[in-house]
Amino acid sequence: MPQTTPKGLHRLAFGGDYNPEQWPESVWQEDVRLMREAGVTMVSVGIFSWALLEPEPGRYDFGWLDRILDLLHENGVRVDLGTPTVAPPAWFYRAHPEALPVTAEGVRLSYGSRGAICHSSAAYRTAAAGITTALARRYGSHPALALWHVHNEYGVPISACYCDSCAAHFRQWLHETYGSVDAVNEAWGTAFWGQHYGSYGEIDPPRVTPTVGNPAQQLDYRRFADATIRENFRMEREILHARTPGIPVTTNFMTALSQCDSIDYWAWGREVDLVTNDHYLITDGRRTHVNLAMAADLTRSVAGGAPWLLLEHSTSGVNWQARNPAKRPGEMARNSLAHVARGSEGAMFFQWRQSRRGAEKFHSSMVPHGGTDTRIWREVVELGAGLEALEEVRGSRTVPDVAMVWDWHSWWAQNLEWRPNEAHEARERADSFYESLYDRHLTVDFAHPESDLSAYPLVVVPALYLTTEAAGQNLREYVENGGTLVVSYFSGIVDEHDAVHPGAYPGALREVLGLTVDEWSPLLDDQRVTITGPGGTTLSGDVWTEFVRPRGAETVWTYADGPAAGGPAVTRHRLGRGTAWYVSTRLDAASLDAILAAACEDAGVAPRAAIPHDVEVVHRAGEDARYLFALNHSPEDAEVPLDGSGTELLHGDAADGKLTVPAGAVRVVRLDA
């Protein structure tokens, strides 16, 4: 069985992408001296170095990489070594221009950036296998090697190509998936608009059409593109496994829903030896620390609850958004330790030394342009010491409270054209439900809709437009066996081929919810509705309403106005030993709290006592110890209640009964048994 932790790394990972090829060798000695000063334990090397490592086809130049790996080893720094297959050299594209990807509009993209790859290209696969094999032979036994880093951020900036090679590959994938053209016609519903196919040769990728194309074909092409990229990862992984047994193989994910929507990370999580992730704060007006927590929880869930590794984030501002604010003092450490709280075995950055040239020269780094006489550098050194003090948390696991169902295939399907209201977004619903759970101080696991949910007292389904029969049955059995389920609108509607389930909405979820929906009535941009409920509570919804007909469910909140005035807005259905809630309008995170409070009461999930707003409390548990992470994202000092006593690891202080967390700070307590 492959190793699942970086070989030879006995502390939390701390470091970042290191690109020594951008600098004269005279800088390298200073780099390793500063790495020792900061407490760096691992760096990622060689991710974009294909053109230097193989300057001509089949001719390799490893001298500079030999020297830097030797230097890092001599200074006690482990290496996450990249296969540079995200950026093929200019000579490759000169010989194989057909390997450049083609857009759905028929435009072939040009060389000069990164990730310009047709993943169906046989020439690309051959070249990628060649450089990967050469690296494995050269460095498989190097004493600095801790981890293989295949490619970089698969799915970004593009995931799908629409060229003729992809068309041929897509036809092969369809045959392997369906077995016959007749089965493809049935799955895609090609009787609609006369789209019937007589042979595989008649099928092309879903290129630009006069109006909306076949949604099932588009959905399958998303699946095909993801599967094709995964084939290329597996090819490199198998080369590395065969030649370097004992060295784990990974690739850096981008699980945040704000950063990548083209990869099925449930499938990818089963392919890597160690789940790693890149995360960057998105300055879109949302609470960035909530998005960070959500991404970390999602990454941990993709890892099956096992420890994972934050492979990239930023020391301060990035450079690729419309506005790129600097992180406030202390925010870098708080971001880093928030990931550790939620399961990461360290905190690494892009990048070590800030570039002077290229597209990311204004992206922050561990060593900024201003050098060591900067706030960033001082905070980097302080964080390195903090991570060293937390070494004992390695191997422990984050303790979840509840679960949220999420499925990338459903997201892909919901995002296709001609839906009832384009203002309804799966990501927005997931963000809002997560934020409401976060503000109740609940730690969330994410779960595939067909996975075992029995460990969770409460499961939330924010957006599951595509719901297979198996998923519907799984959710029903979860409730019948005593679970509490909360489902949001426009869920349960279609099967895996984007075909509406027979009968009334919500299709696969009718029985578990105990209701049917006669009709949707989406709202216009400026419309809102009021719903009223227990104790005179009044909540406001927008975007969506429904004409709900209870069939066993009870009405808990009612539409006071709007198209469905007088009808059920929120229902509750007792089924077996459990309860299923349904929310038929869009409520913001604050309004959702009223529904989730009632659902938590059904589930026996007790409120968290006296934890202030924007103070994050997360537990990790190991075989011999339990740890409490308290992160204060607010501008005021806060007190967090402790169940017992313990030792605060970052400062060595005793803690008993309560914990004071200064504004913007982090405290980590090893709790006494």
Side-chain angles (χ1 to χ4, degrees):
M1 185 175 185
Q3 182 166 327
T4 58
T5 58
K7 184 178 179 181
L9 184 62
H10 304 300
R11 292 166 52 190
L12 293 173
F14 179 56
D17 282 31
Y18 182 36
N19 299 288
E21 65 272 28
Q22 296 180 15
W23 301 90
E25 292 197 26
S26 58
V27 176
W28 297 2
Q29 292 291 339
E30 180 188 9
D31 281 334
V32 294
R33 179 184 64 79
L34 293 177
M35 288 178 190
R36 291 197 307 270
E37 180 180 335
V40 166
T41 60
M42 186 166 75
V43 293
S44 302
V45 177
I47 297 168
F48 294 100
S49 302
W50 193 344
L52 296 180
L53 294 171
E54 189 179 6
E56 296 176 5
R59 182 174 73 81
Y60 300 105
D61 180 2
F62 293 123
W64 69 271
L65 189 55
D66 289 347
R67 294 191 295 278
I68 195 64
L69 262 61
D70 289 347
L71 183 62
L72 291 167
H73 175 63
E74 290 165 6
N75 285 272
V77 179
R78 308 295 293 158
V79 172
D80 166 38
L81 184 56
T83 67
T85 51
V86 68
W91 61 254
F92 170 79
Y93 288 117
R94 186 175 181 85
H96 301 285
E98 76 283 357
L100 288 164
V102 174
T103 68
E105 294 79 12
V107 176
R108 190 175 294 279
L109 301 178
S110 297
Y111 174 76
S113 180
R114 67 172 192 177
I117 297 165
C118 167
H119 282 275
S120 294
S121 166
Y124 169 75
R125 293 185 178 201
T126 298
I131 186 64
T132 300
T133 300
L135 285 166
R137 286 173 175 164
R138 183 80 173 191
Y139 300 110
S141 59
H142 195 284
L145 182 62
L147 182 67
W148 284 111
H149 183 308
V150 170
H151 205 269
N152 184 72
E153 295 178 345
Y154 279 109
V156 176
I158 59 171
S159 59
C161 171
Y162 297 81
C163 71
D164 289 341
S165 294
C166 288
H169 193 185
F170 183 45
R171 295 171 194 133
Q172 177 186 344
W173 182 87
L174 290 171
H175 178 66
E176 293 170 353
T177 301
Y178 290 104
S180 70
V181 175
D182 288 342
V184 174
N185 283 314
E186 176 64 23
W188 289 2
T190 56
F192 183 79
W193 280 359
Q195 297 170 12
H196 184 85
Y197 297 103
S199 70
Y200 289 115
E202 296 173 358
I203 301 174
D204 284 324
R207 296 165 175 148
V208 173
T209 51
T211 185
V212 174
N214 187 313
Q217 179 188 17
Q218 293 183 69
L219 178 58
D220 264 351
Y221 205 74
R222 296 291 294 264
R223 291 168 171 146
F224 158 75
D226 178 57
T228 301
I229 296 171
R230 208 157 56 244
E231 284 178 17
N232 284 349
F233 169 77
R234 281 197 296 264
M235 173 197 69
E236 293 192 46
R237 181 198 65 195
E238 292 310 302
I239 290 170
L240 297 170
H241 276 172
R243 289 165 175 79
T244 61
I247 305 296
V249 179
T250 191
T251 185
N252 45 339
F253 295 167
M254 298 190 74
T255 63
L257 305 186
S258 54
Q259 290 177 243
C260 182
D261 65 355
S262 59
I263 298 295
D264 176 6
Y265 285 115
W266 292 128
W268 279 81
R270 297 188 292 269
E271 301 288 354
V272 296
D273 299 330
L274 169 67
V275 167
T276 64
N277 194 53
D278 297 352
H279 181 266
Y280 294 96
L281 301 184
I282 303 298
T283 53
D284 60 357
R286 309 184 196 213
R287 296 159 70 197
T288 56
H289 57 278
V290 180
N291 176 275
L292 185 158
M294 183 177 178
D297 282 345
L298 188 49
T299 307
R300 182 187 68 253
S301 302
V302 166
W308 54 279
L309 179 58
L310 175 66
L311 208 52
E312 286 185 28
H313 71 314
S314 65
T315 56
S316 190
V318 298
N319 72 314
W320 38 263
Q321 300 182 81
R323 294 170 177 82
N324 299 288
K327 291 185 178 180
R328 296 179 297 278
E331 189 175 2
M332 176 185 66
R334 196 166 67 252
N335 288 170
S336 300
L337 296 179
H339 285 287
V340 174
R342 295 178 184 271
S344 177
E345 296 284 73
M348 298 183 66
F349 295 90
F350 180 85
Q351 59 179 329
W352 166 251
R353 182 178 286 275
Q354 196 166 14
S355 300
R356 292 185 56 231
R357 298 175 175 85
E360 293 187 291
K361 57 183 170 288
F362 300 125
H363 190 295
S364 61
S365 68
M366 299 175 76
V367 182
H369 290 309
T372 58
D373 188 19
T374 56
R375 174 178 66 85
I376 286 180
W377 174 252
R378 288 188 287 273
E379 290 193 12
V380 163
V381 174
E382 183 179 358
L383 176 59
L387 289 170
E388 184 175 4
L390 297 180
E391 179 181 330
E392 65 179 80
V393 306
R394 289 178 68 245
S396 62
R397 295 194 174 205
T398 301
V399 181
D401 298 302
V402 298
M404 180 180 289
V405 167
W406 180 256
D407 180 36
W408 277 274
H409 291 224
S410 179
W411 192 19
W412 299 342
Q414 186 181 308
N415 282 346
L416 295 172
E417 303 98 332
W418 287 9
R419 300 311 187 215
N421 190 341
E422 65 180 13
H424 169 52
E425 299 177 341
R427 179 201 158 190
E428 184 279 331
R429 283 294 78 196
D431 284 346
S432 291
F433 271 85
Y434 183 90
E435 185 175 1
S436 188
L437 293 168
Y438 178 96
D439 284 339
R440 296 187 70 79
H441 304 288
L442 297 173
T443 301
V444 178
D445 268 358
F446 285 80
H448 186 276
E450 296 179 17
S451 65
D452 182 7
L453 303 171
S454 60
Y456 306 104
L458 174 67
V459 171
V460 171
V461 181
L464 196 62
Y465 162 75
L466 187 159
T467 309
T468 64
E469 290 288 349
Q473 181 64 24
N474 187 49
L475 293 171
R476 175 180 176 142
E477 290 175 358
Y478 165 75
V479 173
E480 288 176 331
N481 291 327
T484 299
L485 182 71
V486 180
V487 177
S488 187
Y489 64 88
F490 206 45
S491 294
I493 308 304
V494 300
D495 66 12
E496 60 268 34
H497 304 300
D498 199 45
V500 174
H501 285 288
Y505 308 135
L509 300 179
R510 283 192 305 264
E511 293 183 358
V512 68
L513 296 174
L515 55 83
T516 58
V517 174
D518 289 348
E519 194 174 8
W520 304 311
S521 187
L523 301 176
L524 302 180
D525 286 349
D526 58 350
Q527 284 185 294
R528 300 191 69 85
V529 293
T530 301
I531 67 172
T532 57
T537 55
T538 299
L539 305 175
S540 179
D542 64 0
V543 171
W544 196 275
T545 63
E546 297 181 345
F547 295 94
V548 176
R549 188 187 298 268
R551 299 186 185 277
E554 61 177 301
T555 300
V556 184
W557 269 268
T558 302
Y559 287 108
D561 52 25
V570 179
T571 62
R572 178 174 182 259
H573 184 218
R574 294 179 175 87
L575 181 66
R577 295 187 287 112
T579 305
W581 291 78
Y582 184 60
V583 184
S584 67
T585 186
R586 190 177 83 164
L587 303 174
D588 63 19
S591 296
L592 281 172
D593 184 68
I595 285 87
L596 290 176
C600 283
E601 185 175 350
D602 280 348
V605 177
R608 296 294 187 262
I611 300 176
H613 185 69
D614 276 337
V615 175
E616 190 173 333
V617 176
V618 184
H619 289 84
R620 285 183 64 154
E623 292 183 4
D624 303 317
R626 186 180 179 98
Y627 305 93
L628 180 146
F629 286 72
L631 305 100
N632 187 355
H633 302 284
S634 78
E636 306 292 337
D637 293 355
E639 286 192 352
V640 172
L642 290 180
D643 184 13
S645 60
T647 302
E648 203 286 311
L649 298 178
L650 294 174
H651 300 86
D653 300 329
D656 190 4
K658 65 180 180 181
L659 178 68
T660 299
V661 187
V666 180
R667 295 292 183 263
V668 183
V669 177
R670 183 206 309 118
L671 296 168
D672 295 335

mmCIF file with all atom_site columns, all heavy atoms in Angstrom, residues 140-155:
data_model
loop_
_atom_site.group_PDB
_atom_site.id
_atom_site.type_symbol
_atom_site.label_atom_id
_atom_site.label_alt_id
_atom_site.label_comp_id
_atom_site.label_asym_id
_atom_site.label_entity_id
_atom_site.label_seq_id
_atom_site.pdbx_PDB_ins_code
_atom_site.Cartn_x
_atom_site.Cartn_y
_atom_site.Cartn_z
_atom_site.occupancy
_atom_site.B_iso_or_equiv
_atom_site.pdbx_formal_charge
_atom_site.auth_seq_id
_atom_site.auth_comp_id
_atom_site.auth_asym_id
_atom_site.auth_atom_id
_atom_site.pdbx_PDB_model_num
ATOM 1   N N   . GLY A 1 140 ? 14.394 9.172  -7.845  1.00 0.00 ? 140 GLY A N   1
ATOM 2   C CA  . GLY A 1 140 ? 13.599 8.262  -7.022  1.00 0.00 ? 140 GLY A CA  1
ATOM 3   C C   . GLY A 1 140 ? 14.258 7.880  -5.716  1.00 0.00 ? 140 GLY A C   1
ATOM 4   O O   . GLY A 1 140 ? 13.568 7.625  -4.720  1.00 0.00 ? 140 GLY A O   1
ATOM 5   N N   . SER A 1 141 ? 15.582 7.854  -5.678  1.00 0.00 ? 141 SER A N   1
ATOM 6   C CA  . SER A 1 141 ? 16.294 7.489  -4.452  1.00 0.00 ? 141 SER A CA  1
ATOM 7   C C   . SER A 1 141 ? 17.010 8.681  -3.817  1.00 0.00 ? 141 SER A C   1
ATOM 8   O O   . SER A 1 141 ? 17.826 8.495  -2.910  1.00 0.00 ? 141 SER A O   1
ATOM 9   C CB  . SER A 1 141 ? 17.319 6.388  -4.748  1.00 0.00 ? 141 SER A CB  1
ATOM 10  O OG  . SER A 1 141 ? 18.266 6.821  -5.721  1.00 0.00 ? 141 SER A OG  1
ATOM 11  N N   . HIS A 1 142 ? 16.686 9.878  -4.261  1.00 0.00 ? 142 HIS A N   1
ATOM 12  C CA  . HIS A 1 142 ? 17.357 11.048 -3.675  1.00 0.00 ? 142 HIS A CA  1
ATOM 13  C C   . HIS A 1 142 ? 16.900 11.218 -2.234  1.00 0.00 ? 142 HIS A C   1
ATOM 14  O O   . HIS A 1 142 ? 15.704 11.153 -1.929  1.00 0.00 ? 142 HIS A O   1
ATOM 15  C CB  . HIS A 1 142 ? 17.041 12.312 -4.474  1.00 0.00 ? 142 HIS A CB  1
ATOM 16  C CG  . HIS A 1 142 ? 17.961 13.448 -4.152  1.00 0.00 ? 142 HIS A CG  1
ATOM 17  N ND1 . HIS A 1 142 ? 17.858 14.193 -2.989  1.00 0.00 ? 142 HIS A ND1 1
ATOM 18  C CD2 . HIS A 1 142 ? 19.029 13.971 -4.839  1.00 0.00 ? 142 HIS A CD2 1
ATOM 19  C CE1 . HIS A 1 142 ? 18.807 15.109 -2.971  1.00 0.00 ? 142 HIS A CE1 1
ATOM 20  N NE2 . HIS A 1 142 ? 19.537 14.998 -4.075  1.00 0.00 ? 142 HIS A NE2 1
ATOM 21  N N   . PRO A 1 143 ? 17.812 11.471 -1.313  1.00 0.00 ? 143 PRO A N   1
ATOM 22  C CA  . PRO A 1 143 ? 17.437 11.520 0.102   1.00 0.00 ? 143 PRO A CA  1
ATOM 23  C C   . PRO A 1 143 ? 16.521 12.693 0.466   1.00 0.00 ? 143 PRO A C   1
ATOM 24  O O   . PRO A 1 143 ? 15.899 12.671 1.533   1.00 0.00 ? 143 PRO A O   1
ATOM 25  C CB  . PRO A 1 143 ? 18.785 11.641 0.827   1.00 0.00 ? 143 PRO A CB  1
ATOM 26  C CG  . PRO A 1 143 ? 19.730 12.179 -0.199  1.00 0.00 ? 143 PRO A CG  1
ATOM 27  C CD  . PRO A 1 143 ? 19.272 11.613 -1.505  1.00 0.00 ? 143 PRO A CD  1
ATOM 28  N N   . ALA A 1 144 ? 16.411 13.710 -0.383  1.00 0.00 ? 144 ALA A N   1
ATOM 29  C CA  . ALA A 1 144 ? 15.531 14.843 -0.070  1.00 0.00 ? 144 ALA A CA  1
ATOM 30  C C   . ALA A 1 144 ? 14.083 14.572 -0.462  1.00 0.00 ? 144 ALA A C   1
ATOM 31  O O   . ALA A 1 144 ? 13.174 15.261 0.016   1.00 0.00 ? 144 ALA A O   1
ATOM 32  C CB  . ALA A 1 144 ? 16.012 16.102 -0.776  1.00 0.00 ? 144 ALA A CB  1
ATOM 33  N N   . LEU A 1 145 ? 13.855 13.580 -1.326  1.00 0.00 ? 145 LEU A N   1
ATOM 34  C CA  . LEU A 1 145 ? 12.526 13.374 -1.912  1.00 0.00 ? 145 LEU A CA  1
ATOM 35  C C   . LEU A 1 145 ? 11.532 12.881 -0.868  1.00 0.00 ? 145 LEU A C   1
ATOM 36  O O   . LEU A 1 145 ? 11.706 11.828 -0.268  1.00 0.00 ? 145 LEU A O   1
ATOM 37  C CB  . LEU A 1 145 ? 12.616 12.380 -3.071  1.00 0.00 ? 145 LEU A CB  1
ATOM 38  C CG  . LEU A 1 145 ? 11.308 12.096 -3.815  1.00 0.00 ? 145 LEU A CG  1
ATOM 39  C CD1 . LEU A 1 145 ? 10.763 13.365 -4.463  1.00 0.00 ? 145 LEU A CD1 1
ATOM 40  C CD2 . LEU A 1 145 ? 11.535 11.005 -4.868  1.00 0.00 ? 145 LEU A CD2 1
ATOM 41  N N   . ALA A 1 146 ? 10.464 13.665 -0.687  1.00 0.00 ? 146 ALA A N   1
ATOM 42  C CA  . ALA A 1 146 ? 9.423  13.313 0.283   1.00 0.00 ? 146 ALA A CA  1
ATOM 43  C C   . ALA A 1 146 ? 8.093  13.006 -0.382  1.00 0.00 ? 146 ALA A C   1
ATOM 44  O O   . ALA A 1 146 ? 7.291  12.225 0.140   1.00 0.00 ? 146 ALA A O   1
ATOM 45  C CB  . ALA A 1 146 ? 9.226  14.458 1.282   1.00 0.00 ? 146 ALA A CB  1
ATOM 46  N N   . LEU A 1 147 ? 7.842  13.603 -1.549  1.00 0.00 ? 147 LEU A N   1
ATOM 47  C CA  . LEU A 1 147 ? 6.516  13.574 -2.151  1.00 0.00 ? 147 LEU A CA  1
ATOM 48  C C   . LEU A 1 147 ? 6.646  13.896 -3.627  1.00 0.00 ? 147 LEU A C   1
ATOM 49  O O   . LEU A 1 147 ? 7.463  14.735 -4.013  1.00 0.00 ? 147 LEU A O   1
ATOM 50  C CB  . LEU A 1 147 ? 5.629  14.618 -1.451  1.00 0.00 ? 147 LEU A CB  1
ATOM 51  C CG  . LEU A 1 147 ? 4.164  14.769 -1.842  1.00 0.00 ? 147 LEU A CG  1
ATOM 52  C CD1 . LEU A 1 147 ? 3.372  13.526 -1.447  1.00 0.00 ? 147 LEU A CD1 1
ATOM 53  C CD2 . LEU A 1 147 ? 3.564  16.011 -1.143  1.00 0.00 ? 147 LEU A CD2 1
ATOM 54  N N   . TRP A 1 148 ? 5.841  13.206 -4.454  1.00 0.00 ? 148 TRP A N   1
ATOM 55  C CA  . TRP A 1 148 ? 5.749  13.552 -5.868  1.00 0.00 ? 148 TRP A CA  1
ATOM 56  C C   . TRP A 1 148 ? 4.532  14.438 -6.081  1.00 0.00 ? 148 TRP A C   1
ATOM 57  O O   . TRP A 1 148 ? 3.437  14.145 -5.609  1.00 0.00 ? 148 TRP A O   1
ATOM 58  C CB  . TRP A 1 148 ? 5.615  12.309 -6.738  1.00 0.00 ? 148 TRP A CB  1
ATOM 59  C CG  . TRP A 1 148 ? 6.870  11.520 -6.938  1.00 0.00 ? 148 TRP A CG  1
ATOM 60  C CD1 . TRP A 1 148 ? 7.153  10.285 -6.449  1.00 0.00 ? 148 TRP A CD1 1
ATOM 61  C CD2 . TRP A 1 148 ? 7.999  11.910 -7.732  1.00 0.00 ? 148 TRP A CD2 1
ATOM 62  N NE1 . TRP A 1 148 ? 8.400  9.874  -6.858  1.00 0.00 ? 148 TRP A NE1 1
ATOM 63  C CE2 . TRP A 1 148 ? 8.936  10.851 -7.657  1.00 0.00 ? 148 TRP A CE2 1
ATOM 64  C CE3 . TRP A 1 148 ? 8.314  13.034 -8.478  1.00 0.00 ? 148 TRP A CE3 1
ATOM 65  C CZ2 . TRP A 1 148 ? 10.166 10.890 -8.323  1.00 0.00 ? 148 TRP A CZ2 1
ATOM 66  C CZ3 . TRP A 1 148 ? 9.535  13.080 -9.140  1.00 0.00 ? 148 TRP A CZ3 1
ATOM 67  C CH2 . TRP A 1 148 ? 10.444 12.011 -9.055  1.00 0.00 ? 148 TRP A CH2 1
ATOM 68  N N   . HIS A 1 149 ? 4.718  15.494 -6.840  1.00 0.00 ? 149 HIS A N   1
ATOM 69  C CA  . HIS A 1 149 ? 3.692  16.495 -7.126  1.00 0.00 ? 149 HIS A CA  1
ATOM 70  C C   . HIS A 1 149 ? 3.425  16.454 -8.629  1.00 0.00 ? 149 HIS A C   1
ATOM 71  O O   . HIS A 1 149 ? 4.135  17.064 -9.419  1.00 0.00 ? 149 HIS A O   1
ATOM 72  C CB  . HIS A 1 149 ? 4.240  17.860 -6.684  1.00 0.00 ? 149 HIS A CB  1
ATOM 73  C CG  . HIS A 1 149 ? 3.321  19.026 -6.831  1.00 0.00 ? 149 HIS A CG  1
ATOM 74  N ND1 . HIS A 1 149 ? 2.671  19.347 -7.993  1.00 0.00 ? 149 HIS A ND1 1
ATOM 75  C CD2 . HIS A 1 149 ? 2.966  19.988 -5.939  1.00 0.00 ? 149 HIS A CD2 1
ATOM 76  C CE1 . HIS A 1 149 ? 1.960  20.443 -7.822  1.00 0.00 ? 149 HIS A CE1 1
ATOM 77  N NE2 . HIS A 1 149 ? 2.129  20.850 -6.576  1.00 0.00 ? 149 HIS A NE2 1
ATOM 78  N N   . VAL A 1 150 ? 2.389  15.726 -9.056  1.00 0.00 ? 150 VAL A N   1
ATOM 79  C CA  . VAL A 1 150 ? 2.105  15.557 -10.477 1.00 0.00 ? 150 VAL A CA  1
ATOM 80  C C   . VAL A 1 150 ? 1.351  16.776 -11.013 1.00 0.00 ? 150 VAL A C   1
ATOM 81  O O   . VAL A 1 150 ? 0.358  17.215 -10.434 1.00 0.00 ? 150 VAL A O   1
ATOM 82  C CB  . VAL A 1 150 ? 1.287  14.275 -10.714 1.00 0.00 ? 150 VAL A CB  1
ATOM 83  C CG1 . VAL A 1 150 ? 0.768  14.207 -12.143 1.00 0.00 ? 150 VAL A CG1 1
ATOM 84  C CG2 . VAL A 1 150 ? 2.125  13.041 -10.385 1.00 0.00 ? 150 VAL A CG2 1
ATOM 85  N N   . HIS A 1 151 ? 1.875  17.331 -12.142 1.00 0.00 ? 151 HIS A N   1
ATOM 86  C CA  . HIS A 1 151 ? 1.164  18.408 -12.841 1.00 0.00 ? 151 HIS A CA  1
ATOM 87  C C   . HIS A 1 151 ? 0.932  19.566 -11.875 1.00 0.00 ? 151 HIS A C   1
ATOM 88  O O   . HIS A 1 151 ? 1.705  19.765 -10.933 1.00 0.00 ? 151 HIS A O   1
ATOM 89  C CB  . HIS A 1 151 ? -0.155 17.840 -13.399 1.00 0.00 ? 151 HIS A CB  1
ATOM 90  C CG  . HIS A 1 151 ? -0.714 18.568 -14.579 1.00 0.00 ? 151 HIS A CG  1
ATOM 91  N ND1 . HIS A 1 151 ? -1.603 19.599 -14.448 1.00 0.00 ? 151 HIS A ND1 1
ATOM 92  C CD2 . HIS A 1 151 ? -0.560 18.373 -15.912 1.00 0.00 ? 151 HIS A CD2 1
ATOM 93  C CE1 . HIS A 1 151 ? -1.965 20.028 -15.655 1.00 0.00 ? 151 HIS A CE1 1
ATOM 94  N NE2 . HIS A 1 151 ? -1.335 19.308 -16.563 1.00 0.00 ? 151 HIS A NE2 1
ATOM 95  N N   . ASN A 1 152 ? -0.119 20.352 -12.076 1.00 0.00 ? 152 ASN A N   1
ATOM 96  C CA  . ASN A 1 152 ? -0.435 21.461 -11.172 1.00 0.00 ? 152 ASN A CA  1
ATOM 97  C C   . ASN A 1 152 ? -1.865 21.916 -11.421 1.00 0.00 ? 152 ASN A C   1
ATOM 98  O O   . ASN A 1 152 ? -2.221 22.283 -12.545 1.00 0.00 ? 152 ASN A O   1
ATOM 99  C CB  . ASN A 1 152 ? 0.508  22.649 -11.413 1.00 0.00 ? 152 ASN A CB  1
ATOM 100 C CG  . ASN A 1 152 ? 0.280  23.771 -10.424 1.00 0.00 ? 152 ASN A CG  1
ATOM 101 O OD1 . ASN A 1 152 ? 0.624  23.660 -9.248  1.00 0.00 ? 152 ASN A OD1 1
ATOM 102 N ND2 . ASN A 1 152 ? -0.308 24.864 -10.888 1.00 0.00 ? 152 ASN A ND2 1
ATOM 103 N N   . GLU A 1 153 ? -2.691 21.846 -10.369 1.00 0.00 ? 153 GLU A N   1
ATOM 104 C CA  . GLU A 1 153 ? -4.055 22.383 -10.414 1.00 0.00 ? 153 GLU A CA  1
ATOM 105 C C   . GLU A 1 153 ? -4.808 21.938 -11.671 1.00 0.00 ? 153 GLU A C   1
ATOM 106 O O   . GLU A 1 153 ? -5.254 22.748 -12.494 1.00 0.00 ? 153 GLU A O   1
ATOM 107 C CB  . GLU A 1 153 ? -4.030 23.909 -10.303 1.00 0.00 ? 153 GLU A CB  1
ATOM 108 C CG  . GLU A 1 153 ? -3.505 24.390 -8.960  1.00 0.00 ? 153 GLU A CG  1
ATOM 109 C CD  . GLU A 1 153 ? -3.420 25.897 -8.843  1.00 0.00 ? 153 GLU A CD  1
ATOM 110 O OE1 . GLU A 1 153 ? -3.503 26.589 -9.895  1.00 0.00 ? 153 GLU A OE1 1
ATOM 111 O OE2 . GLU A 1 153 ? -3.264 26.394 -7.717  1.00 0.00 ? 153 GLU A OE2 1
ATOM 112 N N   . TYR A 1 154 ? -4.956 20.624 -11.819 1.00 0.00 ? 154 TYR A N   1
ATOM 113 C CA  . TYR A 1 154 ? -5.734 20.091 -12.942 1.00 0.00 ? 154 TYR A CA  1
ATOM 114 C C   . TYR A 1 154 ? -7.094 20.786 -13.007 1.00 0.00 ? 154 TYR A C   1
ATOM 115 O O   . TYR A 1 154 ? -7.743 21.043 -11.991 1.00 0.00 ? 154 TYR A O   1
ATOM 116 C CB  . TYR A 1 154 ? -5.972 18.599 -12.753 1.00 0.00 ? 154 TYR A CB  1
ATOM 117 C CG  . TYR A 1 154 ? -4.825 17.708 -13.150 1.00 0.00 ? 154 TYR A CG  1
ATOM 118 C CD1 . TYR A 1 154 ? -4.072 17.031 -12.188 1.00 0.00 ? 154 TYR A CD1 1
ATOM 119 C CD2 . TYR A 1 154 ? -4.508 17.495 -14.488 1.00 0.00 ? 154 TYR A CD2 1
ATOM 120 C CE1 . TYR A 1 154 ? -3.038 16.173 -12.547 1.00 0.00 ? 154 TYR A CE1 1
ATOM 121 C CE2 . TYR A 1 154 ? -3.468 16.640 -14.855 1.00 0.00 ? 154 TYR A CE2 1
ATOM 122 C CZ  . TYR A 1 154 ? -2.741 15.981 -13.883 1.00 0.00 ? 154 TYR A CZ  1
ATOM 123 O OH  . TYR A 1 154 ? -1.724 15.130 -14.240 1.00 0.00 ? 154 TYR A OH  1
ATOM 124 N N   . GLY A 1 155 ? -7.538 21.067 -14.215 1.00 0.00 ? 155 GLY A N   1
ATOM 125 C CA  . GLY A 1 155 ? -8.825 21.715 -14.421 1.00 0.00 ? 155 GLY A CA  1
ATOM 126 C C   . GLY A 1 155 ? -8.753 23.225 -14.488 1.00 0.00 ? 155 GLY A C   1
ATOM 127 O O   . GLY A 1 155 ? -9.743 23.876 -14.818 1.00 0.00 ? 155 GLY A O   1
#
